[in-house]
Amino acid sequence: ESRFARAQRIYGSDLDAVAAQDIDGWSSLRTFAASCTCWSPRFEIFLVCVVLFNIVIMVLETEAELSCRNCGKSSYRITNYCLLAVYSLEVALAVFVQRTDFCFRVWNVLDSVIVPA
């Protein structure tokens, strides 16, 4: 059974976006990374939760800065670095899996602009 057939059996209609690609030539590491990220609804839900958590942290950080200039800045800084690491890993995995197709997907370009900012 080919990798594409196996991935299509496991992920079904979620694989339609990459159906035109020849994933039979992909390495097992690239296929595994794609199955854990690009084709995984669980990963998408995880990223939505990370974004929502980030919004909460931004609100709390802004509130703390308004009420007290030096209170709790270090804990928010560490949290922000951890969130940056998650976002950077997401972009790096997308580049690894999608290669040149990465540049032609709007959400990827948007991620690439937002994460460094």
Side-chain angles (χ1 to χ4, degrees), residues 25-98:
W26 289 10
S27 68
S28 57
L29 179 61
R30 186 176 176 194
T31 305
F32 176 74
S35 68
C36 292
T37 59
C38 298
W39 303 331
S40 173
R42 290 181 182 168
F43 187 71
E44 288 180 22
I45 291 170
F46 169 73
L47 287 178
V48 167
C49 291
V50 168
V51 169
L52 293 174
F53 176 72
N54 195 2
I55 291 169
V56 170
I57 292 300
M58 287 190 305
V59 169
L60 293 174
E61 184 177 17
T62 302
E63 185 177 318
E65 285 179 8
L66 292 175
S67 64
C68 177
R69 293 190 182 245
N70 294 322
C71 299
K73 280 192 174 184
S74 64
S75 64
Y76 291 119
R77 181 176 293 162
I78 293 168
T79 305
N80 286 332
Y81 284 138
C82 291
L83 290 168
L84 178 62
V86 170
Y87 294 137
S88 299
L89 182 62
E90 179 216 356
V91 170
L93 285 171
V95 168
F96 175 68
V97 170
Q98 298 168 8

